[in-house]
Amino acid sequence: MEKEIEIRNDEQKMQFEYSENGEVARLEYRFYKKNIAMMHTVVPETMKGKGIASALAAKAFEYAKGKKKLVMVYCPFVAAYVKRHPELREQIDKEYHQNM
């Protein structure tokens, strides 16, 4: 059985994080106007292929929904994640992302 990927939100650094063996994967966000902007995802080589970036994105969308904020996508990984999860399109700010 795979262990659950436990993501935490470091609100001071404005990033969702996952730590493993002293390394940190992160999805950086910023609050912009009335929205939340997903800026950048970084996953160390040792963590690639384990679904960590997807877990970070899932947590970010869950957080945005809880805060009742629309999402602006600047991160290419998050854009690809939304394409794989069309149910998230309702959370995208259409003013900035007409093609999602």
Side-chain angles (χ1 to χ4, degrees):
M1 184 174 136
E2 284 187 44
K3 69 175 185 150
E4 187 179 329
I5 298 171
E6 198 169 306
I7 306 298
R8 73 179 212 96
N9 181 7
D10 184 329
E11 293 189 7
Q12 286 190 311
K13 289 184 181 175
M14 296 178 105
Q15 64 187 26
F16 297 95
E17 303 175 333
Y18 172 75
S19 300
E20 185 179 274
N21 301 324
E23 293 191 284
V24 178
R26 67 185 188 278
L27 191 163
E28 299 167 6
Y29 65 90
R30 298 291 176 265
F31 291 105
Y32 181 71
K33 295 187 179 179
K34 62 187 186 301
N35 300 317
I36 185 168
M38 303 300 169
M39 304 302 291
H40 189 58
T41 304
V42 177
V43 177
E45 282 297 322
T46 57
M47 294 185 201
K48 291 201 170 159
K50 298 180 180 179
I52 292 167
S54 291
L56 289 165
K59 187 71 167 185
F61 274 92
E62 181 184 302
Y63 176 76
K65 191 172 200 168
K67 291 279 189 187
K68 295 183 174 35
K69 298 214 173 276
L70 291 175
V71 175
M72 300 168 73
V73 179
Y74 293 99
C75 171
F77 176 81
V78 174
Y81 182 81
V82 171
K83 283 190 172 72
R84 289 194 311 276
H85 298 274
E87 69 278 9
L88 296 174
R89 288 187 188 141
E90 68 188 28
Q91 286 185 256
I92 301 296
D93 186 331
K94 303 294 188 277
E95 185 179 337
Y96 292 92
H97 303 291
Q98 287 86 18
N99 60 345
M100 283 192 157

